[in-house]
Structure formats: structure tokens, C-alpha cells
Amino acid sequence: MCDCFLLHRQICSDIVQKDLLLYRLWCSCVHLICCGYVTRRLFRMVSYQGKAKSLQNILPELSFAHRMRPSYPPTHNVTRGTWSRSQRQMFWSLFASILFLASPCKGFFPNFWSKVLILSWDSHTHQCITEEAICNVTLEVLRDTTKQDGVQGDKEICHSLGFWRAVRDVVNSNANMDFKSSTKHDPVYHFDSERVDSSIAMLRQIWTQIVLSIRAKEYKSARNSLGQLFHSLQDFYSHSNWVEMGQRSVYLHLLQPEEPAVPVAKEDTPTCKDCITATCRHNILLTQTNSQNTPNLLTTGYTRSSPYKPKGKCSHGGLLDISQHLSAKGGINKDTTSPMFSPHHYLHKEAADLAAKATLMALRELKDTVGPKAFLKLFSVRQAPALVFVIDTTGSMFEEITAARLRAHSIIQRRANSAEQPGTFLLVPFHDP
């Protein structure tokens, strides 16, 4: 079985470099197969009584360390519905193996299939936050420009294949931040390990790249950078103590240098206390207090072992974070609604709402910076075609011209209020001497 897990990880590593959709499908299939297998084996194990095949014969098939276990003679005293110590050990080893299938994610989980893997159906993901924001702002721009510039209506955008391909580019780039080896463990891309200043500088650099790419009409590159920016921007609200500070508005300083900044806790300032339960409440220390007795220093959780986590600092937390066992134990992430993966799961909705507002604000600022036409081109929203009438104005063609005018008028009246309405109507007269 260990060989199967290693094979799974190798396949995922190969697939994710080629097509993220295939990766999602592969992970979901493996998850369903493993859940079915584990359920079937556990059901047979617990309900077995008086059969030739005992628990000691089933156990070696599932345990990772079965080759190191001593051989015992078969026994037949398994009672229906009871769990022995060996059964519990096997159950937890199987449970850990299923968690092993899910690649560790930083920030809101990347997409729908992540919710399937962790069985957290009400969690907000990077995918849903990004897609909803892009759709809402694009529709706003369309409603403002349809009458003036003849852009296709907001009804047609829902059926535009080009638009959804552009949205997919942004979503995939966002999710890739959790999968690519160059970004998934770098705290700067995820607002981890109190690298807040470096992360802010990186955000502003990416913003500049997006604007320059759009002005150079390199829309594919701009969409890729936009996905990266959204991932880090959304991670801030899930990984920092911004929500715990009582903030209910976005942190404007992230993309706007002229806005006031909130100081970040220094390296020698303790920010958390130990939490030994799955749900951590009030584990963030009041590092510096104001008149409302609330913390006003920013901090973010540490993950893994690089950079080294100083004593007393907050961890990211969750089963996939190895730094949660270092002082201060526990964690502060709000990635999901599951306490298994997010110690501050009870604040997930607040963090997701702020991440959505920040994404909407960034898109509207981008529209104001590059202009509505360039913004729509970024998402492959094209102008509707014009309907052109070319009519001969030669005097000898009076009867034909009159018939052509009536016919053109009829076409315009019929299509003016239909779903096939062109963006513009053009008349090109010519004279044939």
C-alpha cells in the first residue's frame, strides 16, 4: 500500500504540470476508491464473528507496518461492535493515509475538489471567491458600457466560451500557487511566517506586471499574474489575525501605499499561547493593546520548518502543518470550516467575506486603471459585430433604392430588440456614375 501512495504522489506531480483539471479528477477518484475500500474493510472487520478469517488475518492487509508485526495464531473472539486497541490503531493509520492523499494547501482550499477531499461542503475556496468576483465586476462593466459602446449584453456573457476560458486561466493560476514547487512552500506568496512586508511588496510588483501586460495586450500573461495576485490577497485574511482584531473592512494598505499601515509584530514578540484542542479560541495574545483592549499588531502563522518558528509565535495549524507541535502549539488559520484543518474554523466565513470584498475591490481598481474596454478584452468579452448596409444612391436606381431602404428598415426594426441585436448599424452609400 505504501507503494500505491508513492505512485499516487508521483502521478499527481506529473499531472498537475500538464492539466489542473486532470489532477482534480484523479484526486477525487482516488479519494472515493480509498473511502470505499476502507469502509468495506472496517465493516467486515467489526461485524465479523466466528468466521475462519479473523482480525489478525485482515490486519496485515491494511497496516503499513505489517511486516514488522509478530505473527499470532488466529483467534475467533472478535465481538460484534467492539473495537480493540489494534483496531483503533489500524483505523487511525488508515485515516492518516487518506489525509496523505490530499496535498497540503495554504490559504483557502483551492477548488471544489478540495472540499470533496476534506468533506467540508460549506467552505469557501479560492475558486468560488475568484469566479464570483470576476463575474460580478464584468457584468457591472457590461451594464455601464452596453448602450454606449455596443458590447454584447450581460445575458450573452453566461454563454460565452471565451469568457469562461479566460476565467479558468485566472482560477488555475490561483490554484497553482498551492501546487507548484516554486510557490507552495514560499511564505511570501501566502502571507505566512510574518513575512507581511515582503508579501505586500510582492503584491504591488504583481499589480504593476498586470497593468503593463494589459496595456501591451498580453492578456494571457495578465490573467496568469492576476490569479497569483488574488491567491496572495485572499490568503492574507485567512492566515493573519486581521479578523481576530475585529476588522470588518479590507486592509487597503496591501495595494494602496498611501493608506495607513498596521505594524507587524516583531520577531521577539510572542503572539500566541498554547492550544491543545482542535478548535483554538482566544489563543492570540494581546501583543499591544489600545483603548478597546483589542490587538493592533499584525501576525501570521508559521508553517513547516523553514523559516524557523520562534518560540511563542503562532502556527498555521491543522493536520497538514508540522509546526503546530512547536511552541506556541495550535494555530490560527481560517482556511476551512473543518476544525481538523483550521483551528479558527469558526471565523472562516468572516475571512472569506473579506477576501471576496478585497478581490472585488482589486478588480474594480483594475478596471479604472486600464479602462473598461481593455478590462473586457482581458476576459475575452468581445464587441458584438456591426450590421452594415451598402446602398447605391444612383438616380437611375430609384425604385431599387426605395425597395432596399424599406428592406433595411424592416431588418433594423426586427433585430433592434432581439437577442441577436448587433452592436451598431452602419450605412455606407456609394454613387455609381
Side-chain angles (χ1 to χ4, degrees), residues 222-272:
R223 290 193 293 267
N224 181 67
S225 298
L226 192 61
Q228 296 176 356
L229 181 133
F230 285 162
H231 186 100
S232 299
L233 187 65
Q234 293 160 6
D235 273 359
F236 170 79
Y237 299 97
S238 174
H239 291 185
S240 71
N241 64 328
W242 183 259
V243 175
E244 287 84 350
M245 291 169 65
Q247 301 288 350
R248 292 300 178 262
S249 59
V250 300
Y251 187 25
L252 298 177
H253 181 71
L254 294 179
L255 290 175
Q256 301 176 20
E258 66 278 6
E259 295 294 334
V262 177
V264 182
K266 297 181 180 180
E267 186 175 355
D268 58 350
T269 302
T271 56
C272 274

Side-chain angles (χ1 to χ4, degrees), residues 130-287:
T130 302
E131 286 181 349
E132 184 176 355
I134 293 175
C135 289
N136 287 337
V137 176
T138 304
L139 289 175
E140 290 175 6
V141 177
L142 280 172
R143 295 187 182 109
D144 291 340
T145 59
T146 295
K147 294 181 180 180
Q148 294 83 355
D149 298 330
V151 183
Q152 66 183 32
D154 54 4
K155 294 181 180 179
E156 282 73 22
I157 191 176
C158 297
H159 307 287
S160 173
L161 183 59
F163 171 75
W164 287 111
R165 283 176 175 171
V167 173
R168 184 185 63 185
D169 288 342
V170 179
V171 170
N172 285 352
S173 176
N174 189 325
N176 281 340
M177 298 284 280
D178 279 332
F179 296 115
K180 288 186 176 180
S181 57
S182 59
T183 58
K184 65 180 180 179
H185 296 314
D186 190 338
V188 175
Y189 288 100
H190 306 279
F191 275 94
D192 286 332
S193 306
E194 292 186 332
R195 299 299 191 265
V196 176
D197 292 336
S198 299
S199 297
I200 292 176
M202 182 268 301
L203 278 181
R204 295 172 183 172
Q205 181 180 1
I206 295 178
W207 176 266
T208 302
Q209 293 174 355
I210 294 170
V211 174
L212 293 177
S213 296
I214 293 175
R215 289 174 176 170
K217 298 183 179 181
E218 298 176 356
Y219 300 118
K220 181 75 173 179
S221 174
R223 290 193 293 267
N224 181 67
S225 298
L226 192 61
Q228 296 176 356
L229 181 133
F230 285 162
H231 186 100
S232 299
L233 187 65
Q234 293 160 6
D235 273 359
F236 170 79
Y237 299 97
S238 174
H239 291 185
S240 71
N241 64 328
W242 183 259
V243 175
E244 287 84 350
M245 291 169 65
Q247 301 288 350
R248 292 300 178 262
S249 59
V250 300
Y251 187 25
L252 298 177
H253 181 71
L254 294 179
L255 290 175
Q256 301 176 20
E258 66 278 6
E259 295 294 334
V262 177
V264 182
K266 297 181 180 180
E267 186 175 355
D268 58 350
T269 302
T271 56
C272 274
K273 58 184 178 181
D274 284 340
C275 170
I276 59 175
T277 59
T279 299
C280 294
R281 298 181 184 272
H282 311 297
N283 62 323
I284 298 181
L285 299 175
L286 298 181
T287 50

Side-chain angles (χ1 to χ4, degrees), residues 303-338:
T303 61
R304 301 177 63 84
S305 57
S306 179
Y308 177 75
K309 173 187 170 183
K311 185 177 181 181
K313 289 294 185 180
C314 302
S315 288
H316 179 82
L319 289 179
L320 302 176
D321 176 27
I322 61 177
S323 73
Q324 64 170 318
H325 304 294
L326 302 175
S327 177
K329 298 179 181 179
I332 63 171
N333 90 72
K334 298 163 281 293
D335 296 345
T336 72
T337 57
S338 170

